[in-house]
Amino acid sequence: MADQDPIQDPSEVETAEQVETSQATPEEMEPEAVSDSELAIAQEEIATLKDQLQRTLADNQNVRRRAEQDVEKAHKFGVEKLIKELLPVVDNLERALASAPEEQDEALKAVLEGVSMTHKSFIDGLEKYQVAVIDPEGEPFNPEEHQAMSMVEAPDAEPNTVLAVVQKGYSLHGRLLRPAMVMVSKSPAKVDEQA
């Protein structure tokens, strides 16, 4: 008899109808049970939470996009410092080639050929990393890519034309690493004629 339930008071036993009423969902409740002001407050809170959710999602998307751009820039421009340090080596190789005498013996020809091949392989290696040479001789002066070292009167050249390149410039993926140092033409000075 210990296994049997103790006798319950009939007033404590819930009827099936009472159980269904206590488990009713808010949708099943009568509309008058929720006042208009409570409904307005709940709708305002829902609108505020939706707005916060949309802003948070947009912020997350912006952070993700910025992170992707930062990674892309790091891949593109991560070698910028190294390339800037190597540009003087290219300049020295070019100076060595430019200073070679016209008449050369066999030993000097072999050395110059080696310097020329080294220079070419160096430039080819830089091009693999999207480094472009800026050699604007004969082109109009562009202050965004060129640095004017001097202005020279040149009656046979258009004003603001690059006459000579003192030092070539370089860019990495379109970003200027070093401007080209150039000599620029200017109009000849007019001589005042006095009678």
Side-chain angles (χ1 to χ4, degrees), residues 142-177:
N142 179 358
E144 293 178 4
E145 293 183 346
H146 312 147
Q147 180 178 348
M149 301 303 291
S150 65
M151 304 258 327
V152 178
E153 288 184 16
D156 56 336
E158 288 286 321
N160 292 327
T161 300
V162 175
L163 295 175
V165 178
V166 177
Q167 186 179 53
K168 293 178 183 175
Y170 293 89
S171 65
L172 174 64
H173 291 283
R175 180 191 285 181
L176 186 66
L177 292 176

Side-chain angles (χ1 to χ4, degrees), residues 87 90-91 94 119-120 122-124 126-127 130-137 139 145-146 165 167-180:
L87 291 180
V90 176
D91 295 336
E94 289 174 352
H119 176 261
K120 183 181 178 338
F122 212 121
I123 294 295
D124 291 345
L126 291 175
E127 287 175 356
Q130 304 301 315
V131 176
V133 178
I134 301 171
D135 188 7
E137 190 168 343
E139 298 176 7
E145 293 183 346
H146 312 147
V165 178
Q167 186 179 53
K168 293 178 183 175
Y170 293 89
S171 65
L172 174 64
H173 291 283
R175 180 191 285 181
L176 186 66
L177 292 176
R178 182 178 81 185

Side-chain angles (χ1 to χ4, degrees), residues 2 6 12 20 30 34 46-47 49 56 69 71 92 102 109 132 139-140 149 157 171 176-177 183 188:
E12 292 178 3
E20 285 179 16
E30 294 180 23
V34 178
I46 289 171
L49 291 174
T56 303
Q69 289 173 347
V71 168
N92 290 334
E102 291 291 325
K109 281 184 183 179
E139 298 176 7
M149 301 303 291
S171 65
L176 186 66
L177 292 176
M183 296 172 68

Side-chain angles (χ1 to χ4, degrees), residues 27-180:
E27 292 86 19
E28 295 172 347
M29 293 173 52
E30 294 180 23
E32 291 85 31
V34 178
S35 71
D36 288 341
S37 63
E38 289 175 339
L39 182 61
I41 291 171
Q43 287 176 340
E44 187 177 313
E45 186 177 339
I46 289 171
T48 302
L49 291 174
K50 279 184 179 180
D51 184 53
Q52 287 176 353
L53 176 63
Q54 288 174 343
R55 289 177 189 269
T56 303
L57 291 174
D59 286 345
N60 286 341
Q61 186 177 7
N62 289 339
V63 166
R64 188 176 319 118
R65 191 177 319 118
R66 263 186 254 122
E68 288 171 357
Q69 289 173 347
D70 289 346
V71 168
E72 182 181 341
K73 285 181 183 177
H75 285 298
K76 276 185 172 180
F77 303 111
V79 294
E80 184 174 357
K81 282 186 175 182
L82 175 65
I83 291 172
K84 281 184 177 180
E85 292 294 322
L86 294 176
L87 291 180
V89 176
V90 176
D91 295 336
N92 290 334
L93 291 171
E94 289 174 352
R95 284 188 202 105
L97 291 170
S99 67
E102 291 291 325
E103 294 184 24
Q104 307 157 0
D105 59 3
E106 289 301 315
L108 186 57
K109 281 184 183 179
V111 171
L112 287 175
E113 187 177 323
V115 172
S116 178
M117 289 172 55
T118 303
H119 176 261
K120 183 181 178 338
S121 67
F122 212 121
I123 294 295
D124 291 345
L126 291 175
E127 287 175 356
K128 287 180 185 176
Y129 288 93
Q130 304 301 315
V131 176
V133 178
I134 301 171
D135 188 7
E137 190 168 343
E139 298 176 7
F141 177 74
N142 179 358
E144 293 178 4
E145 293 183 346
H146 312 147
Q147 180 178 348
M149 301 303 291
S150 65
M151 304 258 327
V152 178
E153 288 184 16
D156 56 336
E158 288 286 321
N160 292 327
T161 300
V162 175
L163 295 175
V165 178
V166 177
Q167 186 179 53
K168 293 178 183 175
Y170 293 89
S171 65
L172 174 64
H173 291 283
R175 180 191 285 181
L176 186 66
L177 292 176
R178 182 178 81 185

